Amino acid sequence: MDILSFLLISLKLLFFFYDFAFAIDSISSSESISDGGRTLVSGDGRFELGFFSPGSSKNRYVGIWYKKVPDKTVVWVANRIKPINNSSGVLMINSTGSPVVVMRQNKTVVWSANLTKEAKSSVVLQLLNSGNLVLRDEQSSGDGLGSYLWQSFDYPCDTLLPEMKLGWDLKTGLERRLSSWTSPDDPSPGDFTWGVELQGNPESVMWNGSNKFYRGGPWNGIAFSGGPDLRHNSIFEVNFVNNEDELYSTFKMIDKSMFSIVVMNKTRNLRERFTWSDTTQNWNVYSHEPRDYCGYYGRCGAYGNCITTQSPICRCLDGFKPKSTGYRDWSEGCVRNNALNYSKLDGFIKFNLMKLPDATNSWVNKSMNLEQCRVKCLENSSCMAYSNLDIRGRGNGCAMWFGDLIDIKQNSNSVQDLYIRMSASELGTKEGPKMKIVVIVTATAAVAGVLIVGYYIYKKKSEGKGKTDQKIEDLELPLFELDTIANATNNFSINNKLGEGGFGPVFKGTLVDGQEIAVKRLSKISTQGINELKNEVILIAKLQHRNLVKLLGCCIQREEKILIYEFMPNKSLDHFIFDQTRSKLLDWTKRFHIIWGIARGLLYLHQDSRLLIIHRDLKTSNVLLDHEMNPKISDFGLARIFNGDQNEGKTNRVVGTYGYMAPEYAIDGTFSIKSDVFSFGILLLELVSGKKNRGFYHPDCNLSLIGYAWKLWKEGKLLELIDPIFGESCNESEVIRCIHISLLCLEHQPDTRPSMSSVVLMLGGDNVLPEPKQPGFLMDRKPQLEPDSLNKPDFSSSNEVTISLLEAR
Ligand SMILES: *[C@@H]1O[C@H](CO)[C@@H](O)[C@H](O)[C@H]1NC(C)=O
Ligand SMILES: *[C@@H]1O[C@H](CO)[C@@H](O)[C@H](O)[C@H]1NC(C)=O
Ligand SMILES: *[C@@H]1O[C@H](CO)[C@@H](O)[C@H](O)[C@H]1NC(C)=O
Ligand SMILES: *[C@@H]1O[C@H](CO)[C@@H](O)[C@H](O)[C@H]1NC(C)=O
Ligand SMILES: *[C@@H]1O[C@H](CO)[C@@H](O)[C@H](O)[C@H]1NC(C)=O
Ligand SMILES: *[C@@H]1O[C@H](CO)[C@@H](O)[C@H](O)[C@H]1NC(C)=O
Ligand SMILES: *[C@@H]1O[C@H](CO)[C@@H](O)[C@H](O)[C@H]1NC(C)=O
Ligand SMILES: *[C@@H]1O[C@H](CO)[C@@H](O)[C@H](O)[C@H]1NC(C)=O
Ligand SMILES: *[C@@H]1O[C@H](CO)[C@@H](O)[C@H](O)[C@H]1NC(C)=O
Ligand SMILES: *[C@@H]1O[C@H](CO)[C@@H](O)[C@H](O)[C@H]1NC(C)=O
């Protein structure tokens, strides 16, 4: 056994050295690369060039792929348009010095490179460490970009590599644009392309054919105003070059242990950025654009503001109203409340955190300042907005927009201000006499505020001898005194008790200043030990999202372990949807709003919060509702944090709640973001049907709620699943779409379940969804769960507590 593995290792090593010794990175005029023969490998072994067949196709192409993955990641293809249907292809340099791909037998050229200049001497075709295939004079060392006779980086396919330029060589007119593959089996250029639009204020644009599909927006010196936030990025650095000779965007790696690429994907209508980490040996999605449904070009029409977390997502900017009065018809955008005078009587209102409008009709001057920009914009009656061109430092340069402003949105990632032209009357409402009142009121409030705060500081100092100044792990999280909490909750009075969570009772409290709080008192015998508590505290303190419940502080004193949260007046979701009377308060519009919020909150946990967090106990009783029925995910006692590159875990201690646990978690103890997706799927079914998955009972069939949903899906009778209380509010296509999405989330294989970002896209979009596969846990009714009958509804959450199993080993 040992000898065998030793031999195997030796053999592998031998092949490794063999490979290494014989790997070449270039060919000269007399050499060639033929199909089935040797390949070119870049000096550092990262990239390889050779013949390959994509997907299930039998066609042969010459391509460059990322060599570190067993499953080829093809980054460039030479003969994308003209494949060879057998193994007769050869890549060589023809007698005039051009690289060509020919078919050996009948000598047909299927691809040839167009040289930028004539070769003077003999030439070499070399695969560089960057993944760039270059043709250079044999004498030149070949590191100056300009000295190449030809380079593959000038003819991108669907992948952008570090150091590649996306955009224009203004001298030669060469445009470098990415284009998606037609399909995973066919690398020929698809409809989706991405490049830089040449215009007054150039911007990064993704096209579907000749139509704009998504804009990254103009570059503002730091980032594209509508693209991902690049400010705190230690992995790669994006740059934009705009001068007389060149106009392009590019990026380079800062963290040399990582590697990153951007790929256009036609199937998903996205461009995705992947990062490679040598430790995990796989690609992780770092970001994607469009980020969400609001990303699609001009979604809300002129002057419309798209806000992903709202339903409907379109709003008008302040000072504008919907053009058409029809509910949810936003395609026509918004119009002004007060008409412009088109003279110097007009003025500008500043909007912040903006994705800048479509810059097709724009004009820029790099040396004008913001005030000169304002004056010039005011002079021209078709100028509707202006901003700084570059926002670094105090900002400089001037950009102006003519005509209606399209594809704007307020985006918390952005740091961009936009000044929009408004009528004098509109300005009046903002800065006129009312302004003074506001100032006075604000000033009075501020003075009062200082006095109140001062009083409390004084009071706290004088009364709080036992007050600790500690902060948990330097997170600015207040530690409360046990006495304060006892006072607030009437000494943990039974009358203040809100319910019983998995780890102990929850009380309502009122602090001296009137603020209402929820107090989670961890029972002394609870399985949530000090570690789980710390876990929860540290975790939630870092999380800031409107769909996550906010932790105000904690208290660890004597034997007590207490968490203090913002108070949610409407309790939890199960309190409503499983109750015959209260469920009427949540019509479909409200439920959809809740679904949307939960999805956003979960997406934040999984992907947007810089940490990867798996909740592990998502269920209706852990979704709380604020006074406006906005959902907030709570109870992070079981959550796990992962480092960026790890995304799956395994545990011997299976904790969670029956009825919500994904099969692979309940059975094997493996959990991942996809097990949360499964729980989300259950939640979705419950919200739509108003029935509990656990304890679901249908008189006609012996199926779980999942099984019942699947049966109805197969029979095409999904409408039967819908909670009859929706009545008028029911938007059938939306409900059906939600059930469809939930079935995708419930698929048995974690890999085939969508990620939360896809779920959010699917919820907001109207494109065709994939066919769901058979869900997990179909017929599986746990014997220890006695089915509640439908006539005996059961709304207390106490019998749905989180369970904790020690798996026998
Ligand atoms: C390749 O294409 C040619 C002409 O289209 C055809 O005659 C030949 O049979 C094909 N070869 C294979 C292996 O499919
Ligand atoms: C490959 O296909 C080409 C054209 O279709 C044909 O001329 C050639 O003979 C074929 N070669 C082999 C080895 O099948
Ligand atoms: C070689 O084969 C290709 C593919 O079948 C065909 O298009 C081309 O005309 C052939 N060339 C010659 C010189 O026969
Ligand atoms: C070599 O390829 C180039 C580019 O296609 C072409 O212009 C030239 O005529 C070819 N020369 C020969 C001898 O085939
Ligand atoms: C080379 O130039 C010709 C003519 O301009 C063009 O049709 C062809 O697509 C170019 N080839 C490549 C590989 O860019
Ligand atoms: C892309 O454009 C085509 C043709 O206009 C259209 O049919 C298709 O739906 C568009 N795709 C998307 C994802 O919008
Ligand atoms: C595009 O996405 C689909 C679905 O996730 C995937 O199968 C395909 O490999 C992706 N294509 C590329 C070029 O990444
Ligand atoms: C603009 O205001 C001036 C002065 O109030 C008025 O005379 C003029 O008609 C107005 N123009 C428009 C286009 O409303
Ligand atoms: C830009 O503004 C500066 C200062 O106002 C001016 O001197 C210059 O001519 C302007 N350039 C263009 C192209 O308008
Ligand atoms: C306003 O600016 C646009 C675009 O630069 C220009 O075409 C138009 O003539 C200008 N109008 C006036 C009145 O200056």
Side-chain angles (χ1 to χ4, degrees), residues 219-246:
W219 180 258
N220 60 23
I222 297 173
F224 293 100
S225 74
D229 187 356
L230 299 170
R231 276 168 297 165
H232 313 286
N233 181 336
S234 56
I235 302 176
F236 58 90
E237 180 181 80
V238 178
N239 233 313
F240 190 70
V241 172
N242 181 1
N243 58 35
E244 283 170 11
D245 297 340
E246 291 187 292

Side-chain angles (χ1 to χ4, degrees), residues 94-100 109 111-115:
N94 79 4
S95 54
T96 43
S98 281
V100 292
V109 175
W111 174 85
S112 71
N114 294 338
L115 305 197

Side-chain angles (χ1 to χ4, degrees), residues 81 176 251 399:
I81 302 165
R176 307 176 196 92
F251 76 96

